[in-house]
Amino acid sequence: MNRKKSRELAMKLLFQMTINKEDSSKVIENLKENQETESNKKEDTNLKDIDMDYLVRVLKGVEVNRDLIDSKIQNYLKKWKIDRLSKIDITILRICSYEFLYEEDIPKNVSINEAVELAKVYGEDKSANFINGVLGSMIKDVNKA
């Protein structure tokens, strides 16, 4: 299983949940149904490399704890309001913040690195630096706790 691919798929699905206002159960159900009908035609939809336990934990975890996660993120936004961030940036920040708070087996530096890499691919020009700054500030306080 590939955690990087799992995290990327989690980001895509969480983004979908945000845009379409869907719940995690529906998104996961659709993913599994589409996988069966696609017959692995596309490499990025191939679930054999995906850590489904992680994927479900992240989607449900962000969904259930969204208010807390968003308030944590808001604490580290300088001169920004969370509702002004791009949907991609907030999705990436939510995943990493969830990992900081609830996934003790994932090193925090790995979470940040993966978040920055996702931002480079899916975000805007300055997204990676912005996300790195927010998460860098957040990790200092998380490590103190």
Side-chain angles (χ1 to χ4, degrees):
M1 289 179 272
N2 185 319
R3 181 62 58 91
K4 185 174 183 170
K5 285 183 180 181
S6 300
R7 189 178 282 109
E8 183 174 11
L9 182 57
M11 189 267 313
K12 290 176 180 179
L13 295 175
L14 192 57
F15 179 78
Q16 176 184 331
M17 287 169 58
T18 302
I19 297 297
N20 297 335
K21 307 216 183 307
E22 294 175 313
D23 65 37
S24 60
S25 300
K26 183 69 172 168
V27 169
I28 293 164
E29 180 183 320
N30 288 342
L31 175 69
K32 290 178 180 177
E33 286 175 8
N34 289 338
Q35 179 63 26
E36 291 170 8
T37 60
E38 285 286 318
S39 301
N40 300 333
K41 290 178 188 173
K42 296 179 183 175
E43 184 179 319
D44 64 338
T45 59
N46 191 340
L47 297 182
K48 71 178 168 89
D49 292 335
I50 301 300
D51 181 345
M52 286 302 290
D53 291 337
Y54 165 83
L55 183 70
V56 170
R57 276 195 322 271
V58 169
L59 295 180
K60 288 186 181 293
V62 171
E63 180 179 48
V64 169
N65 300 294
R66 184 173 162 171
D67 291 340
L68 173 66
I69 291 168
D70 284 359
S71 72
K72 296 282 186 191
I73 293 168
Q74 184 62 58
N75 289 337
Y76 298 95
L77 298 178
K78 295 179 179 149
K79 301 178 185 176
W80 282 91
K81 294 288 182 199
I82 202 162
D83 59 344
R84 301 235 20 242
L85 299 180
S86 77
K87 299 286 191 234
I88 287 291
D89 288 356
I90 190 59
T91 299
I92 294 169
L93 286 168
R94 283 175 178 152
I95 290 172
C96 192
S97 299
Y98 169 81
E99 288 180 355
F100 280 2
L101 297 169
Y102 302 103
E103 294 285 324
E104 294 180 10
D105 66 321
I106 300 174
K108 290 168 182 50
N109 288 336
V110 171
S111 293
I112 291 176
N113 185 52
E114 292 295 325
V116 169
E117 291 303 314
L118 286 171
K120 286 177 182 177
V121 174
Y122 295 99
E124 297 173 12
D125 289 342
K126 296 183 180 180
S127 291
N129 288 337
F130 174 74
I131 286 173
N132 189 47
V134 171
L135 295 174
S137 296
M138 191 183 293
I139 195 174
K140 290 176 188 170
D141 287 345
V142 170
N143 285 337
K144 287 180 190 174

